[in-house]
Amino acid sequence: MQLAAIIVSLVLIAVGVALFGRALVQIYRFVRLGQPVPAGTRTADPYRRAVTVVKEFLGHTRMNKWGIVGVAHWFVAVGFFSLLLTIVNAIGQLFKADWILPVIGDWAPYNVFVEFLGTMTTLGILTLIVIRQLNRPGRPDRKSRFSGSNTGQAYFVEAVILIVGICIFTLHALEGAQHHVDGYEASFFISYPVVAWFRGMDLSTLQNLTYFFAGLKIATSFIWMITVALKTDMGVAWHRFLAFPNIFFKREADGSVALGALQPMASGGKPVDFEDPGEDDVYGVSQIEHFSWKGILDFSTCTECGRCQSQCPAWNTGKPLSPKLLIMSLRDHAHAKAPYLLAGGGKDMEGNEKATEEQLANVPAAALAEAERPLIGTLEENGVIDPDVLWSCTTCGACVEQCPVDIEHIDHIVDMRRYQVMIESAFPSEAGTMLKNLEKKGNPWGLAKKQRVEWTKEVDFEVPIVGQDIEDLTEVDYLYWVGCAGALEDRAKKTTKAFAELLHMAGVKFAIMGGDEKCTGDSARRLGNEPLFQQLGQENVAMLNMAYGEDDEDPATKKPKSAKKIVATCPHCFNTIANEYPQLGGEFEVIHHTQLLQHLIDEGKLVPVTPVDGLITYHDPCYLGRHNKVYTPPREIMSAVPGLRQQEMHRHKERGFCCGAGGARMWMEERIGKRINNERVDEALSLNPDIVSTACPFCLVMLTDSVNGKKAASESGSATGVKPKENLQVVDVAQLLLDSVKTPVDPAGTAEAENEPEPEPVK
C-alpha cells in the first residue's frame, strides 16, 4: 500500500503542479486580452488596496452580511490557505508513517491550530453543502440563488474540501496515536476520543491507515488541481485565487464598492474626447475584447454564488436579466473565443478581419464559430447577451453591493448599452422620446424652461432666483437644485414646495436657478448616451460655476476657498452632481434634502409637534441608499414626528428593493414579468401600512402609480393579493415633516376648532 500510495501521489503532484503553472500563464494571457484602463485608475494607492484585500479576506466583510453562510465560508477559505503545510506533512507520512514537520510538528500551539481549523473547515463545508441543498435550483418562483449555476462543479469542489478536511482530522488523530498520547492533551482537544480508539490498534494497522489517508488527501488535492488547471473558466474553484487581484484592482482604492459615479467612456485606456474623438476610438463595448482587462478579470472571478441574482429586482419579477448569468455568459464567451483572439484574430471598425489566414490556421473551429457570435443579439441571432437582458437593468446596485469578490456589473452593462445607443441606435423606442426631449428642451418631459419656476407661484413666500433676486450664490447658504421632476412633475412638486417651505421656516437662506439649468443627465448616461450626458453636464457645470461667482483658490487643496453648497431632493441629481460632475470640472458640496432636514431638526430649527398617526414604512431609494449610503436621515426624520409607528419592509437598507425607475427605466415600459413597482408595493402592503414614505421623486411616482392601480383594481373587483387601505398615502418624508411642523398643537383652542373644516390629509 505504501509504495502504491507514494507512486500515485508523486505522479499526481508532478502533473498537477505543471498543469497549474501552465494554467496561471494562460489566465494571465487571457486577462491581458482586455483593453488597458486609464492610467492610475486601478493601481493608485497600492498600500490602501493591499489593506482592503486583507480586510475583505480575513474579515470576510462582504460574506459575513449573510450570517451563518459567511462564518462557514470564513473557515473554509482561511483553512484552504493556512492548512497548506498539512500537505507537506502528508507527503512525509507516505514515506514514514509517524513523520511530523520539523520544529513545529510537536509544538502544541501549532497542533491546536491544525486540530481546530481542520475540524471547523470540515464543519464549514458541511454547513455550505446543507445550505446549497436547502436552496437547490428547480423552484418555479426563481427563489434559488443557485439557479443557473454549474451545480456539478460546485458539488465537485465541495466533495474535495470535505474529503481533505476529513483526511486532515484523521491524520492528526493518527499522529497522536503513533506518538503515544497516553492521556488527554490540548493538542488533540477535539480528536482525543478518536486518538484513544486508534491507540488500541497495532502499529501495522496505524501505519497502513496513515498511508491510506495521506495518499487520499494528496490524491484528492492534486486531482482537484489538475481539474481546475484544465478548466480555467471554473469560477467556483478559481475565485479563491482570482478574488485577491480582483479586489486589489477594484475601482475605488478606499475599498468602497463600484457604485455612485459611472466611469467616463474610455477607448484604448484613454477617456474619449467627444469634441475631438480619435479615428480609432471605440464607443462602448460590442466585442468581448473591448472590455477592459479588469472586466475580463471580473468575469473569470465569478464564483456563481448567486447573491447578486437573489437581490436583483429584474430577476425577482420574471425579467430575463440575472447579474450572475450575465457575467457567466460573458465569461464563457470570452474563454471560448480566447484561442481566436490569442492567435491575433479580431475585427476592425468596419468588421474586417485583422488576422491573416495563416495566423488563424490552427485556431479550433469552435473558437472561430464563437468569434462570429454577436455580443448583443437575440436567440435567433445567436447572441451572447439578449437585448432584453441588457435593457432590464435598473442600475440599482444590489448586485454590486452583494458581490463578495467585487465584480462591477453596472459598469459592464452600461458599457454595452453605450455601443447599442451610440453606434447601433438600438434601444427601447420610448427612451428615444426622452432623449429627444433632453436634446431639445433640456428635460425629459420636453416642457418649456419657464415652467421650471412655475411652482414658486404656488407658495406664499419669496423664493430667490439666481441672477434675478440675488447676484450670485455667495449671498445664500444653499443652492436648492430642484431638478426636472421636482419642478415639472405634479407629484414631485409637492415635495419641492414642502421642502422649500421647511427651509423658509427654519430661516435657511437658499435660492434656485432661474430655469436655464438642464437635466443633470443621469438617465441619458445610464441609458448609454454618454455624449448627451457630457453636453448637459458641461453646460450645468459652467452655469453653476458662474452662479457661484469668482472665488479664490486654496493653494493647498486647489479648490475654491468657500464651499459651493447644493441641496437636492432628487437622489439622481444628488448622485450626479456630487459624484459625476467632478469628472467635468464641477467640484460642489452636495447633500440630500433629508440630510439637511435632519440637521435642522437636531439644531432645533424645525420642531415636529403635531402627531401624524399611523403605521409608516420607508422605501430606500437606490441612488440615495446603496449608491450613496444615506440610510439614517430619513428614518431619523420620521422618528422625530410624533405619532408615527415605523416598521421596516423585509428588504430594506443595503438589501432594499428597487422601485423600477433607475437606469433610465423610468422612461421605458415594462413588458416582461411583473412590474417592479408592483412587487415593491406588495411588499409594503404586507405590513398593512397607513403611509408609505420615500425620499426620491422617481420612487414617489412609481410607488404612487402602483398604489393607485391597486386601489382602482380593488374598486373594480379585479384586485389580487393584499389590498391597500383606502386612505393609504405615498409621500416624501419632507411632506410628513412639514405636516408635523407647521401646525402646532393647541389644546386650549380645541373647542373653537371643532367647527372649523378638517385639515386636508397629507398628499
Side-chain angles (χ1 to χ4, degrees):
M1 176 182 287
Q2 181 184 15
L3 181 60
I6 291 174
I7 294 173
V8 171
S9 296
L10 292 180
V11 169
L12 289 174
I13 290 171
V15 174
V17 170
L19 289 178
F20 195 75
R22 187 189 69 167
L24 290 175
V25 174
Q26 289 176 334
I27 290 176
Y28 175 75
R29 293 180 64 210
F30 170 68
V31 170
R32 283 178 59 86
L33 289 171
Q35 298 298 307
V37 298
T41 56
R42 298 290 177 175
T43 54
D45 204 344
Y47 173 76
R48 291 179 72 188
R49 291 178 178 276
V51 170
T52 296
V53 172
V54 173
K55 186 186 301 181
E56 286 201 21
F57 176 65
L58 293 182
H60 254 47
T61 52
R62 312 293 289 283
M63 290 289 297
N64 283 335
K65 294 179 180 179
W66 287 68
I68 185 80
V69 178
V71 174
H73 189 275
W74 187 92
F75 282 108
V76 172
V78 172
F80 176 81
F81 291 102
S82 62
L83 294 174
L84 288 177
L85 283 178
T86 61
I87 292 182
V88 177
N89 201 57
I91 294 172
Q93 288 169 325
L94 283 178
F95 293 90
K96 190 172 184 294
D98 61 351
W99 189 84
I100 58 175
L101 290 169
V103 182
I104 62 172
D106 57 356
W107 187 39
Y110 173 73
N111 281 292
V112 168
F113 173 80
V114 171
E115 178 93 346
F116 175 71
L117 202 56
T119 303
M120 294 308 295
T121 297
T122 306
L123 294 177
I125 197 62
L126 283 170
T127 301
L128 296 180
I129 289 171
V130 170
I131 290 171
R132 184 178 294 275
Q133 293 307 306
L134 293 175
N135 294 275
R136 63 184 180 277
R139 301 180 184 183
D141 56 0
R142 290 183 160 200
K143 292 301 182 183
S144 172
R145 61 186 175 93
F146 299 115
S147 294
S149 298
N150 291 299
T151 306
Q153 294 181 5
Y155 288 161
F156 168 71
V157 171
E158 289 169 347
V160 165
I161 298 171
L162 180 60
I163 292 170
V164 169
I166 292 172
C167 287
I168 290 173
F169 181 88
T170 306
L171 286 170
H172 194 238
L174 285 165
E175 182 181 315
Q178 292 178 85
H179 284 271
H180 310 294
V181 176
D182 297 323
Y184 173 80
E185 287 188 13
S187 296
F188 304 92
F189 69 105
I190 299 174
S191 63
Y192 181 75
V194 182
V195 172
W197 177 52
F198 282 151
R199 204 169 52 235
M201 300 179 183
D202 60 74
L203 181 60
S204 176
T205 301
L206 290 177
Q207 289 175 337
N208 285 329
L209 285 172
T210 301
Y211 300 145
F212 172 78
F213 281 102
L216 179 60
K217 173 176 167 48
I218 293 169
T220 303
S221 299
F222 285 92
I223 287 172
W224 173 86
M225 180 177 283
I226 292 169
T227 302
V228 302
L230 294 174
K231 191 165 181 58
T232 53
D233 60 351
M234 191 173 177
V236 70
W238 276 103
H239 81 276
R240 65 185 57 194
F241 304 108
L242 299 181
F244 296 106
N246 207 52
I247 294 170
F248 182 87
F249 293 119
K250 67 193 299 186
R251 190 213 288 177
E252 306 299 337
D254 64 1
S256 56
V257 294
L259 294 175
L262 283 176
Q263 297 304 287
M265 196 167 75
S267 177
K270 297 179 180 178
V272 174
D273 182 354
F274 291 102
E275 296 181 359
D276 184 23
E279 292 183 3
D280 298 327
D281 280 352
V282 176
Y283 295 157
V285 168
S286 64
Q287 301 290 331
I288 195 70
E289 62 268 26
H290 293 167
F291 284 106
S292 71
W293 60 260
K294 176 57 169 64
I296 303 294
L297 182 59
D298 267 359
F299 308 151
S300 301
T301 308
C302 177
T303 183
E304 305 178 20
C305 65
R307 286 168 179 77
C308 57
Q309 180 174 284
S310 71
Q311 304 298 304
C312 178
W315 179 259
N316 277 277
T317 54
K319 313 291 190 293
L321 168 64
S322 156
K324 177 188 72 177
L325 299 180
L326 172 84
I327 296 298
M328 288 171 60
S329 296
L330 292 171
R331 177 198 65 200
D332 294 344
H333 174 60
H335 278 268
K337 190 177 179 180
Y340 163 81
L341 296 173
L342 290 169
K347 304 289 179 67
D348 60 22
M349 293 296 289
E350 285 74 37
N352 300 314
E353 179 59 62
K354 295 178 182 178
T356 64
E357 291 185 8
E358 290 77 13
Q359 287 177 294
L360 301 179
N362 296 321
V363 175
L368 292 173
E370 194 71 24
E372 295 301 317
R373 295 182 66 191
L375 186 68
I376 308 298
T378 61
L379 182 63
E380 293 75 16
E381 296 167 334
N382 196 28
V384 179
I385 304 298
D386 191 281
D388 285 333
V389 169
L390 196 62
W391 298 112
S392 293
C393 179
T394 67
T395 68
C396 69
C399 50
V400 179
E401 178 71 37
Q402 293 298 329
C403 182
V405 293
D406 285 296
I407 294 171
E408 299 164 3
H409 311 72
I410 292 177
D411 288 354
H412 305 318
I413 288 172
V414 171
D415 273 339
M416 289 186 282
R417 284 183 172 187
R418 284 168 170 167
Y419 179 84
Q420 293 298 300
V421 171
M422 296 170 60
I423 304 302
E424 297 292 336
S425 295
F427 51 89
S429 58
E430 317 93 77
T433 303
M434 178 268 293
L435 292 177
K436 289 177 183 177
N437 288 337
L438 289 179
E439 292 170 357
K440 294 179 179 179
K441 297 293 186 179
N443 67 78
W445 286 274
L447 299 176
K449 67 178 184 179
K450 66 179 181 180
Q451 291 188 246
R452 282 186 176 273
V453 296
E454 287 297 303
W455 67 270
T456 62
K457 300 175 183 178
E458 301 172 20
V459 295
D460 56 5
F461 53 90
E462 193 70 28
V463 178
I465 297 176
V466 181
Q468 297 180 25
D469 304 301
I470 60 172
E471 184 176 345
D472 60 44
L473 289 168
T474 58
E475 300 178 33
V476 297
D477 300 319
Y478 292 95
L479 166 68
Y480 174 20
W481 184 272
V482 179
C484 301
L488 303 172
E489 206 282 327
D490 288 339
R491 286 163 288 190
K493 281 197 288 187
K494 295 176 182 178
T495 302
T496 300
K497 291 182 284 187
F499 179 60
E501 187 170 350
L502 287 166
L503 293 182
H504 177 71
M505 295 172 68
V508 176
K509 293 181 180 179
F510 73 98
I512 65 171
M513 303 300 290
D516 289 328
E517 72 271 27
K518 304 290 180 66
C519 172
T520 59
D522 163 84
S523 291
R525 190 174 219 193
R526 279 148 187 81
L527 184 73
N529 196 328
E530 184 70 10
L532 181 55
F533 163 75
Q534 297 270 342
Q535 176 190 333
L536 295 169
Q538 288 168 2
E539 291 178 12
N540 282 333
V541 167
M543 185 179 301
L544 287 169
N545 284 334
M546 186 178 296
Y548 276 101
E550 297 295 329
D551 195 7
D552 293 334
E553 189 179 81
D554 187 330
T557 64
K558 302 298 182 182
K559 295 182 179 180
K561 290 182 178 179
S562 61
K564 298 179 179 180
K565 295 184 178 181
I566 298 175
V567 60
T569 43
C570 176
H572 297 265
C573 296
F574 164 58
N575 178 71
T576 303
I577 299 173
N579 299 325
E580 297 184 337
Y581 278 10
Q583 300 169 5
L584 307 176
E587 297 285 348
F588 308 106
E589 184 180 311
V590 192
I591 62 171
H592 190 251
H593 75 291
T594 57
Q595 294 174 299
L596 181 54
L597 291 178
Q598 182 197 13
H599 177 68
L600 294 174
I601 291 172
D602 292 342
E603 285 193 332
K605 294 181 179 179
L606 291 174
V607 182
V609 289
T610 302
V612 179
D613 295 325
L615 177 67
I616 188 169
T617 190
Y618 174 72
H619 163 78
D620 284 286
C622 299
Y623 273 82
L624 182 63
R626 266 191 299 268
H627 281 273
N628 286 283
K629 312 305 178 201
V630 178
Y631 297 112
T632 302
R635 291 171 169 82
E636 291 293 321
I637 293 169
M638 291 185 292
S639 296
V641 175
L644 284 178
R645 293 172 287 116
Q646 293 186 52
Q647 187 169 350
E648 297 281 11
M649 284 183 264
H650 173 65
R651 294 182 284 207
H652 63 279
K653 293 188 176 179
E654 290 88 351
R655 296 198 192 185
F657 197 78
C658 183
C659 74
R665 289 294 325 177
M666 177 82 172
W667 320 105
M668 296 181 246
E669 186 55 58
E670 284 190 59
R671 296 187 175 89
I672 304 174
K674 183 179 181 180
R675 293 181 65 89
I676 294 174
N677 59 338
N678 286 341
E679 174 73 12
R680 186 54 165 167
V681 166
D682 282 344
E683 187 168 348
L685 294 181
S686 68
L687 304 177
N688 197 27
D690 301 290
I691 305 170
V692 176
S693 66
T694 188
C696 169
F698 284 10
C699 296
L700 191 69
V701 169
M702 299 297 284
L703 299 178
T704 302
D705 282 350
S706 178
V707 168
N708 289 342
K710 290 179 180 295
K711 286 182 178 179
S714 180
E715 291 174 2
S716 66
S718 60
T720 58
V722 181
K723 299 178 182 178
K725 291 181 178 179
E726 187 176 344
N727 61 344
L728 175 64
Q729 305 170 72
V730 181
V731 296
D732 188 278
V733 291
Q735 296 170 262
L736 284 171
L737 180 61
L738 178 62
D739 194 58
S740 183
V741 168
K742 71 177 183 179
T743 311
V745 176
D746 184 11
T750 302
E752 291 85 352
E754 286 180 354
N755 297 322
E756 295 293 325
E758 293 185 3
E760 294 185 7
V762 177
K763 301 292 185 180

